[in-house]
Amino acid sequence: MTRDNVWRATPALARSLLLPALLAATGLALGRADLVLLGVPLVVGTALALGTAAERRARRPPPEVRAIGPRILDAGRSVPVAVRLGPSDAQLVATVLPPAEAGGDADAVVVAAPADGERQLVVEVTAPRWGAQQLARPDHLAAAADGLLVAGPVAGTPYTAQVLPAVAPALPPGPLPPRPAGMVGAHRTRRPGEGTELHDVSPFQPGDRLRRIDWRVTARQAGPRETLYTRHTLVDADADVVCCLDNRYDLPADVAAWLDLGEHAERPGRTSIDVAVDTVASVAAAYIEHGDRVGVLDLARPLDPVHLGSGRRHLLRLRTHLARRTRRPGSGDALPAPRHAPRLPPGAIVVVTSVFLDDAPGTLAVTWRRRGHPVVAVDVLPAPLVLDAADTATTLAARLVLAERQERIRALEAAGVPVSAADPAALGLGLARLRLLARGVRR
């Protein structure tokens, strides 16, 4: 229920005026002065509460109540969200505080309204999922003149924040691809050049830089024909990483809910798309931290990629793109996976996230592998799965689907594409396995 945010009389004001009038009329009719005097305190109290005519005209409007907080926040992290009460002539304000978690129960509190300045009620709020989310709507009711005047209830202005995908801490990046894209980075190569890894110390040759002279080794060379020695290092290069997101299926851990996932279906818990988006954000953060370039390719929308880039601003842009542009099945704009593997930068590392319920993502991963890309597949199906043993038909169908899925995963492993779970430990191990596979990739 929403009413205009203006002062209006309450039933208590009507009673405080009608009751003295009724007592006075009854006392005059019965000739009893005590009844007339009984209503005098009510009249005086009402007059003092309402104030003089000048005070009533100068009464300030009801207080402004709004929720403030960060416009961009990380999923799973607590942030302070404040409900701010503006100055007014109200005495008490009842307002709804933001729930501690999105979708939780909100608490209503009654506080004294500030006459001057502002008052803030701060609550720690956690958004478990990425995407644009309404974190608070401070509906409120204000009371003045000892409760004789109220304003509201007023529906507060919704506070909406952009929640970015969570980033797993300390996720190690994979190896350098066989054909690194740049000459500056954190990965060590086998090419001599400017870098940090020592290759050898050899006599000075024309073209060597003077700052590369190793004076300690040179000082050990005694005799009239002393030779200058220079330190040679290996190039530190960077890599191109493309994270491919397969969001054509959005599956929760409860298998019985797989058939009920439509456009407006409520998805219980974390689903496969939630896991996939968090995985892509974590991989991107790990590589970008080491100076590499990362891009994102949505297999359902290959014409809307995040182009390769590096740096913190690019990571923020990438996570924002994931939170805003990732669509769930049933939204009306999901497309089938591309039939032909899109062209990627030469030698780029490819990370494919999928639930592997069909052959499309596996075919794309094998194609990229044959083209010379180090490829790792990430299984984002939530685990453990929940099966109702009493539902025989659903259990049998789920076992058949999962058996076919396992065969696809085995085929990927046989084609040289390691398949990793989405948890940080298993994903770090899967990226490390690329170091061995990269040596056998065709150059």
Side-chain angles (χ1 to χ4, degrees):
M1 180 178 181
T2 302
R3 301 182 183 178
D4 294 336
N5 192 20
V6 295
W7 294 117
R8 56 184 176 82
T10 64
L13 177 59
R15 290 192 296 267
S16 65
L17 296 177
L18 291 177
L19 185 57
L22 181 61
L23 290 173
T26 304
L28 292 176
L30 299 178
R32 296 182 58 181
D34 57 334
L35 293 179
V36 177
L37 295 177
L38 188 62
V40 172
L42 294 176
V43 174
V44 174
T46 302
L48 292 177
L50 293 177
T52 63
E55 291 175 345
R56 291 196 296 270
R57 288 193 298 268
R59 180 172 287 115
R60 291 178 291 181
E64 179 186 5
V65 181
R66 65 185 187 278
I68 58 174
R71 292 298 177 184
I72 299 177
L73 52 96
D74 295 339
R77 290 190 178 182
S78 299
V79 295
V81 175
V83 175
R84 180 172 294 178
L85 310 177
S88 70
D89 289 332
Q91 295 169 323
L92 295 176
V93 176
T95 183
V96 177
L97 297 179
E101 292 186 359
D105 296 332
D107 295 328
V109 298
V110 179
V111 297
D116 298 312
E118 294 181 335
R119 182 173 183 180
Q120 292 189 158
L121 307 175
V122 181
V123 179
E124 291 288 333
V125 176
T126 302
R129 283 189 174 184
W130 49 266
Q133 297 187 22
Q134 178 179 310
L135 301 181
R137 199 188 76 175
D139 300 345
H140 56 278
L141 174 71
D146 294 339
L148 300 179
L149 301 176
V150 296
V154 179
T157 303
Y159 160 62
T160 303
Q162 187 67 51
V163 184
L164 302 183
V167 174
L171 180 65
L176 187 71
R179 292 188 295 271
M183 297 295 291
V184 178
H187 299 279
R188 295 168 181 171
T189 68
R190 297 182 179 181
R191 287 199 309 264
E194 294 293 332
T196 58
E197 183 72 7
L198 179 64
H199 178 52
D200 61 13
V201 180
S202 60
F204 182 86
Q205 299 290 335
D208 289 346
R209 298 188 177 183
L210 295 179
R211 63 184 180 89
R212 288 290 183 180
I213 296 176
D214 192 326
W215 295 106
R216 292 185 179 181
V217 177
T218 300
R220 297 193 192 103
Q221 305 301 316
R225 305 182 65 178
E226 184 176 315
T227 304
L228 295 176
Y229 283 82
T230 57
R231 298 168 58 90
H232 297 148
T233 57
L234 298 178
V235 172
D236 292 339
D238 53 14
D240 287 341
V241 183
V242 179
C243 298
C244 299
L245 180 67
D246 180 14
N247 66 343
R248 295 172 300 124
Y249 299 96
D250 190 19
L251 306 179
D254 187 2
V255 177
W258 288 6
L259 298 178
D260 300 330
L261 292 179
E263 182 175 357
H264 303 290
E266 182 179 356
R267 298 167 174 84
R270 280 170 54 84
T271 64
S272 58
I273 289 185
D274 295 325
V275 177
V277 169
D278 291 345
T279 299
V280 169
S282 300
V283 171
Y287 276 99
I288 288 177
E289 185 179 356
H290 286 73
D292 299 324
R293 293 184 294 273
V294 181
V296 174
L297 177 65
D298 191 337
L299 296 183
R301 305 172 66 191
L303 299 181
D304 186 24
V306 178
H307 297 289
L308 294 172
S310 60
R312 293 184 178 180
R313 295 188 64 181
H314 179 71
L315 177 60
L316 178 60
R317 186 184 311 115
L318 185 148
R319 296 172 65 197
T320 304
H321 178 94
L322 289 173
R324 291 181 176 176
R325 301 292 184 89
T326 303
R327 299 291 185 264
R328 299 181 186 271
S331 59
D333 57 354
L335 300 176
R339 296 182 178 180
H340 304 287
R343 290 287 178 180
L344 302 179
I349 297 173
V350 183
V351 180
V352 181
T353 62
S354 177
V355 292
F356 302 105
L357 289 190
D358 57 21
D359 297 331
T363 302
L364 294 176
V366 172
T367 301
W368 282 319
R369 172 63 182 165
R370 291 173 178 173
R371 289 179 181 176
H373 297 279
V375 182
V376 61
V378 183
D379 181 12
V380 295
L381 188 66
L385 295 178
V386 178
L387 282 170
D388 186 4
D391 191 349
T392 307
T394 302
T395 302
L396 180 59
R399 289 178 178 176
L400 291 175
V401 171
L402 295 177
E404 293 177 352
R405 195 181 83 95
Q406 196 61 34
E407 287 298 323
R408 297 187 185 96
I409 292 177
R410 291 195 187 98
L412 281 173
E413 294 277 2
V417 179
V419 181
S420 166
D423 63 277
L427 184 55
L429 182 60
L431 293 174
R433 291 175 62 187
L434 288 180
R435 192 178 304 276
L436 299 177
L437 296 175
R439 299 176 182 175
V441 176
R442 184 180 58 216
R443 304 215 175 183

